[in-house]
Amino acid sequence: MEDNIFDKIHEVDLQKTMEKSYIDYAMSVIASRALPDVRDGLKPVQRRVLYSMIELNNGPDKPHRKCARIVGDTMGKYHPHGDSSIYDSLVVMAQEFKKGQVLVDGHGNFGSIEGDGAAAMRYTEARLTKFTQEVCLADLDKNVIDFGPNFDETEKEPLVLPMRVPNLLINGAEGIAVGMATSIPTHNLCEVVDAVKAYMKNDKITTKQLMKYIKGPDFPTGGIVVNKDDLPEIYETGTGKIKIRGKVEVEDMKGGKKRLVITEIPYTMIGAGIGKFLNDVCSLVETKKTSDIVDISNQSSKEGIRIVLELKKQTDVDNLLALLYKKTRLEDTFGVNMLAIVDGRPETLGIKDIIKHHINFQYELATRKYTTLLEKEKANREIKEGLIRACDIIDLIIEILRGSANLKMAKDCLVNGNVEGIKFKSEQSKKQAAGLDFTEKQAGAILEMRLYKLIGLEILNLQKEYDECVKKIE
């Protein structure tokens, strides 16, 4: 008799199922997609792109590689999502007007400050910058960080990069997760490094004292922070609003006329914001809210921003500027929410917290690096000691090798003094061989040693290398 189909139906609580599924999804987006890690200041996609580039041997001393190749490698090995999201991350890391320190050296059309998109990935090329090579990826071979399996467990990928500066502060971050978002302004590299040094000298330092070094955000587009008095609270709590104004210079023209020249813009104006600003100024003239502007032109170039407003004679410049600040994006607000992943959980951090986590990370990196180097040098010393000792009794070792039937027998004799089955020229040699006690590593090195190593100068070099090794260990 067939099973009743109703016996296979399981009743589930829809609310609990939806809650669990949505929480799993939300945590995945928060921890593995949208928010940067406090240690290296990178989102997973950025970390994977940079690691793919180092795997491709795409360093600053190598030729640029097609971005399509980099994106393909990243997607196939580490980031199983759309190629456009990977390429967008690559592009942003190469745009000088978005990052305090660009991590990728782009070759070709990587977009413009006015919102023009980058060329398709099949046309553009990229490689790592020297900064990235030395600051983000140094010591990867010294077991300083943990690696985990990729999405299909066929490759290993770094869980964090060994970043040597607080990248979270230097390059900032933007990301929208589920129910939370991060928005961290960029800062000056030298100021941040000075603040790190100050914290290392005195870990009881206050946020206000740290601000002697980090005076405020340093946006790649420039601009002037209007509400400087709010910065201490913003940097203490990790949240707040920064008001930024464009930098405006007044230039005299012929016939007593003047013009306003905007040379720096608010960071929030990048992209379509510049076009919107020009339209807003035209709208002010058309709706007769001002009659002081005669002409407006965007003379920006690769050298920098230059937006020119030509004015009528006897224009009240201060009044006009006040109007522009109020009615256009020449003054704008940058919302700060310094949210990052700390030990797998999202946390809102002040600048002191970010620097503290950075220094703890550096301590961990240095500890792991020098532990690895120490173990390596100890192993090297062990082998050198074995080779020096072998050179002193080389005739006996040759006798053991010639008298052994196979490699295993010879190695057993060197390590354990087992002389069974080995033919010796004399009983004295056999007795000497029975007293040998080289380690496994030493025996392996002796058996692989080349004959030219027995030349007098080579033996002296071996002794010199051993002495250097001992000094390194100390």
Side-chain angles (χ1 to χ4, degrees), residues 192-206:
V192 172
V193 170
D194 287 342
V196 169
K197 286 182 189 172
Y199 184 95
M200 287 170 79
K201 287 174 185 170
N202 171 25
D203 60 1
K204 302 284 188 293
I205 194 168
T206 64

Side-chain angles (χ1 to χ4, degrees), residues 325-338:
Y325 291 144
K326 189 176 180 183
K327 298 288 184 183
T328 72
R329 294 183 75 174
L330 190 58
E331 179 179 299
D332 210 352
T333 303
F334 182 93
V336 177
N337 187 25
M338 301 209 266

Side-chain angles (χ1 to χ4, degrees), residues 81-92:
H81 303 285
D83 57 354
S84 59
S85 64
I86 299 169
Y87 185 50
D88 288 347
S89 290
L90 176 63
V91 166
V92 168

Side-chain angles (χ1 to χ4, degrees), residues 119-139:
M121 67 179 100
R122 61 183 177 275
Y123 300 121
T124 54
E125 298 177 342
R127 64 182 176 188
L128 295 167
T129 60
K130 197 173 181 188
F131 176 85
T132 313
Q133 180 98 336
E134 294 180 2
V135 173
C136 312
L137 300 162
D139 301 330

Side-chain angles (χ1 to χ4, degrees), residues 32 105 166 169 279 313 333 356 370 380 414 423 467 473:
S32 307
D105 172 17
L169 285 175
N279 288 335
K313 276 186 186 179
T333 303
K356 181 184 84 176
Y370 291 112
N380 195 17
L414 292 174
K423 294 173 186 174
D467 293 339
I473 289 168

